[in-house]
Amino acid sequence: MFNHCVWYSIHKSHSLSKLIINLAKSFHTDLFHAHITVVSNKTYKEADHIYKHQCIIPKPWFRIHGRIYQTKTHIGNNTFYAIQQDYYMYDIKNLGEYHVSLAYRINNPFTKEEIAYANGLVPVDTIWSNDFKVSLYDCRPSLPKNWKQLKVSVF
């Protein structure tokens, strides 16, 4: 679906990880690892190169921006829906657009009520550099629950 990806994988004990578990139960969606996507849709070789670079540079921190919203991506005959929360690196818009996906669905959009429910639950406004590790994921399967971590940084 998204080929190979490099993520800032948020620790399982973090409140955003717990929110994703809560939303998966509430919305009857698949669980996945909480993360901020650094890059996606890369070959393994490209993603591995970026992963290795990310492992040697200082990790950033992120500040929440805006409200939760829904995205949709057409992939073949399917539509992939996500609800996500945007974050700015170092609280600076010009450093790129980042987000944390909170729930995924295929061919079934989230309702306005579900999005409003999720908006009322966002637990933190800042993701600190010690809240995550750099990871390399195989995101080729169409179901997020089947995405596999291939590598993860020690720090």
Side-chain angles (χ1 to χ4, degrees), residues 34-69:
H35 64 279
I36 299 170
T37 302
V38 178
V39 295
S40 61
N41 291 306
K42 299 294 181 186
T43 66
Y44 176 83
K45 185 176 180 179
E46 292 169 328
D48 189 50
H49 179 75
I50 294 166
Y51 165 81
K52 289 173 182 172
H53 176 73
Q54 289 293 319
C55 286
I56 62 172
I57 63 173
K59 293 188 302 182
W61 59 270
F62 297 86
R63 174 87 59 194
I64 198 169
H65 176 74
R67 296 184 51 79
I68 293 172
Y69 61 97

Side-chain angles (χ1 to χ4, degrees), residues 93-144:
K93 180 180 180 179
N94 294 340
L95 293 180
E97 296 182 15
Y98 297 89
H99 68 270
V100 174
S101 295
L102 302 173
Y104 296 129
R105 278 194 186 141
I106 297 176
N107 299 325
N108 184 14
F110 293 93
T111 66
K112 289 179 183 178
E113 293 79 14
E114 288 172 324
I115 296 168
Y117 174 74
N119 263 306
L121 298 176
V122 175
V124 296
D125 63 356
T126 304
I127 302 171
W128 300 106
S129 58
N130 62 347
D131 289 333
F132 59 85
K133 293 184 177 186
V134 179
S135 61
L136 173 61
Y137 264 75
D138 180 351
C139 299
R140 292 176 294 175
S142 59
L143 296 176

Side-chain angles (χ1 to χ4, degrees), residues 9-79:
S9 293
I10 299 169
H11 299 308
K12 290 183 180 185
S13 60
H14 192 274
S15 58
L16 282 171
S17 295
K18 293 175 183 177
L19 173 61
I20 288 169
I21 292 168
N22 179 346
L23 293 177
K25 289 176 184 175
S26 297
F27 299 161
H28 307 288
T29 56
D30 288 340
L31 275 176
F32 57 92
H33 196 104
H35 64 279
I36 299 170
T37 302
V38 178
V39 295
S40 61
N41 291 306
K42 299 294 181 186
T43 66
Y44 176 83
K45 185 176 180 179
E46 292 169 328
D48 189 50
H49 179 75
I50 294 166
Y51 165 81
K52 289 173 182 172
H53 176 73
Q54 289 293 319
C55 286
I56 62 172
I57 63 173
K59 293 188 302 182
W61 59 270
F62 297 86
R63 174 87 59 194
I64 198 169
H65 176 74
R67 296 184 51 79
I68 293 172
Y69 61 97
Q70 180 167 223
T71 63
K72 76 177 179 181
T73 306
H74 297 286
I75 302 171
N77 293 328
N78 294 309
T79 304

